[in-house]
Amino acid sequence: MDYKDMEFHVFRGCDRGLSHKGCGRQDNKLNTYDWLADVPGNDDDTDLVEVQFKNTRKGYYHNVSRLELKKGDIVAVEASPGHDIGVVTLTGRLVKLQLKKANLKSEDDIKKVFRLAKQTDMDRFFEAKSREHDTMIESRQIAKNLGLQMKIGDVEYQGDGNKAIFYYIADDRVDFRQLIKVLAETFHVRIEMKQIGARQEAGRIGGTGPCGRELCCATWMKNFVSVSTNVARFQDISLNPQKLAGMCAKLKCCLNYEVDDYMEASRKLPSKEIVLQTMDSDYFLFKTDILAGLVTYSTAKNTATNLETITAARAKEIIEMNKQGIKPDSLLENGDQKPMRTHTDLLEGGDISRFDKSKRKKKKNKPQQNGKANANATKYDNGGRRNGDGTNEAKKED
């Protein structure tokens, strides 16, 4: 068979079962996989596109000119004032779903796409971006001189360089009217102050969590819900601040992921205040395994004494029996007694003195008067070595 007649197909990236058009650059924050990218008519369903700017800032725009935009295109979009430069991260039907997550209900918040970025646009964009770091350092010093209790975490220039967004963190309300005047006089741009929380700052910086994966706030989370210590209590997690805190020094957002399942499963467990009564003794709830549906009871109220582990269904059955004045023989079903554990002595028949070092003194070999070696001494041949049984083995000569 001639290999020239055979057709070969080389797989690239996400071609294996996934749409390579739906994949985006992994250095983008909040990257979304467009699993509808190859569906015919996907882009014709809506003219909305999602455009991402620095870090986690995203915007939604109308493609009124019907440009053939795809993921990764750099476009110039409408801003107030002037224009901004961003990267297209999503097109088609999924943009409508992302729009609902962003809670943009007003049509005034949705502006339009001007054009694909030209070389002149990119030159102004890179020039504005080169000033961001120096602007952030100088603005921090200005805020410190004014005595404001705030931290300027990042500065983002607009694509045309006419406006700068200052992201700051503050615990209390800050009157930054004087700060805006000083910043406008210093940098000669329009100033916009935007307050962010510690979780949003961690998402903008990015990083890897203790789970080994990229931070949720930097990959897919847009809306942050408050996390309380009650969430950890519901899941029987130890209240250790070092383990419960995330990269932002706040409680981890992932504590909210499974709390609903734990709360639903905990409804099937008996109350902690109910005491189970048997013919032998009264049992108090000691600990619970929420997801497994197991409860452990102790004969002492606050200590682990005569522990018995039963299912939640068995515990509720005993509670109903106690309400009727019936006391079962045991917590176990059908009165079966828990098998006694047999202890095995691992050192039985062994001598623990074998670990001690021998303190016996070795006798020195004294030469006899006739010049012969002592009979008790070990004899070595020329070039020989001693075996483990005390015999000697002569070295073989080549």
Side-chain angles (χ1 to χ4, degrees):
M1 184 177 181
D2 192 359
Y3 289 99
K4 296 181 180 180
D5 298 334
M6 297 179 63
E7 296 181 359
F8 295 94
H9 179 70
V10 179
F11 289 99
R12 298 174 301 169
C14 294
D15 290 355
R16 292 185 182 272
L18 297 176
S19 169
H20 69 278
K21 296 181 180 179
C23 292
R25 294 165 53 192
Q26 293 303 317
D27 56 350
N28 285 343
K29 303 290 193 305
L30 302 181
N31 188 29
T32 304
Y33 176 74
D34 189 1
W35 50 277
L36 295 177
D38 286 347
V39 176
N42 178 46
D43 295 337
D44 300 335
D45 188 66
T46 179
D47 64 342
L48 291 172
V49 294
E50 182 186 70
V51 180
Q52 183 167 353
F53 304 95
K54 184 180 180 181
N55 293 328
T56 57
R57 185 170 74 92
K58 285 187 176 183
Y60 299 91
Y61 301 88
H62 285 293
N63 185 12
V64 293
S65 301
R66 287 294 177 179
L67 302 173
E68 294 184 2
L69 299 178
K70 60 182 181 300
K71 214 170 186 182
D73 290 339
I74 302 176
V75 293
V77 298
E78 182 183 1
S80 180
H83 70 272
D84 204 351
I85 303 296
V87 180
V88 177
T89 54
L90 202 62
T91 60
R93 302 172 187 174
L94 286 186
V95 183
K96 294 182 178 180
L97 300 178
Q98 295 293 98
L99 202 62
K100 292 181 179 180
K101 293 175 62 177
N103 295 325
L104 294 178
K105 300 179 181 179
S106 177
E107 291 292 335
D108 299 335
D109 297 334
I110 305 177
K111 298 178 173 59
K112 60 182 179 179
V113 179
F114 284 147
R115 60 186 179 274
L116 289 170
K118 301 179 181 179
Q119 186 60 39
T120 55
D121 297 331
M122 297 304 298
D123 293 340
R124 296 182 63 183
F125 172 75
F126 290 125
E127 181 184 357
K129 292 298 177 183
S130 63
R131 301 181 306 197
E132 290 180 348
H133 182 72
D134 295 337
T135 301
M136 180 184 66
I137 299 301
E138 190 173 353
S139 62
R140 287 179 177 179
Q141 187 62 39
I142 294 174
K144 183 179 180 181
N145 296 335
L146 295 176
L148 299 178
Q149 299 297 324
M150 59 185 295
K151 173 192 173 183
I152 298 179
D154 195 9
V155 176
E156 180 182 0
Y157 271 92
Q158 195 170 273
D160 55 2
N162 294 329
K163 186 177 75 171
I165 304 175
F166 290 80
Y167 296 93
Y168 71 94
I169 301 174
D171 296 331
D172 301 324
R173 187 174 181 179
V174 180
D175 186 6
F176 45 76
R177 288 176 293 182
Q178 183 63 26
L179 176 63
I180 293 178
K181 294 180 182 178
V182 177
L183 293 178
E185 294 174 358
T186 304
F187 303 110
H188 306 288
V189 292
R190 185 175 179 179
I191 306 298
E192 180 181 348
M193 304 296 297
K194 184 174 291 187
Q195 185 176 4
I196 59 176
R199 303 181 190 274
Q200 292 173 316
E201 184 188 25
R204 293 180 64 84
I205 297 174
T208 305
C211 59
R213 303 189 62 177
E214 199 173 352
L215 297 179
C216 296
C217 53
T219 51
W220 61 273
M221 286 189 68
K222 291 185 178 181
N223 301 324
F224 298 95
V225 182
S226 61
V227 185
S228 64
T229 55
N230 291 330
V231 176
R233 292 191 180 95
F234 282 135
Q235 303 178 57
D236 282 342
I237 300 176
S238 176
L239 300 179
N240 188 346
Q242 295 180 351
K243 294 184 178 180
L244 296 182
M247 304 295 288
C248 57
K250 302 289 184 180
L251 292 178
K252 295 177 183 178
C253 296
C254 55
L255 292 176
N256 283 336
Y257 296 168
E258 298 180 355
V259 64
D260 294 336
D261 294 334
Y262 276 87
M263 294 181 67
E264 183 68 24
S266 62
R267 295 174 183 173
K268 302 177 182 179
L269 301 179
S271 176
K272 295 182 179 180
E273 286 75 19
I274 298 179
V275 180
L276 302 187
Q277 298 178 351
T278 62
M279 299 297 294
D280 298 335
S281 177
D282 294 343
Y283 287 87
F284 303 89
L285 184 62
F286 183 70
K287 65 177 181 179
T288 59
D289 191 343
I290 300 177
L291 297 183
L294 300 176
V295 287
T296 302
Y297 284 87
S298 171
T299 55
K301 193 169 185 179
N302 297 321
T303 58
T305 306
N306 300 326
L307 296 179
E308 294 284 354
T309 301
I310 58 177
T311 62
R314 174 60 179 171
K316 290 186 176 181
E317 180 182 349
I318 296 177
I319 292 173
E320 294 296 329
M321 294 173 64
N322 293 155
K323 289 181 179 179
Q324 299 175 7
I326 304 173
K327 294 182 180 181
D329 297 334
S330 173
L331 291 183
L332 302 178
E333 296 183 6
N334 300 326
D336 296 337
Q337 296 295 327
K338 187 176 180 181
M340 298 295 294
R341 294 183 179 179
T342 58
H343 299 279
T344 304
D345 189 1
L346 299 178
L347 297 178
E348 184 179 1
D351 186 10
I352 60 175
S353 63
R354 66 184 184 275
F355 299 106
D356 299 336
K357 294 182 179 180
S358 178
K359 297 182 180 179
R360 297 178 181 178
K361 295 182 180 180
K362 296 182 179 180
K363 296 181 180 180
K364 294 183 179 180
N365 299 329
K366 297 180 180 181
Q368 297 180 0
Q369 295 179 358
N370 54 5
K372 294 183 179 180
N374 194 347
N376 295 329
T378 305
K379 296 180 180 180
Y380 292 88
D381 295 337
N382 293 332
R385 58 179 180 273
R386 187 177 183 181
N387 292 330
D389 55 355
T391 60
N392 299 328
E393 180 182 355
K395 183 185 294 185
K396 296 181 180 179
E397 296 181 357
D398 297 334

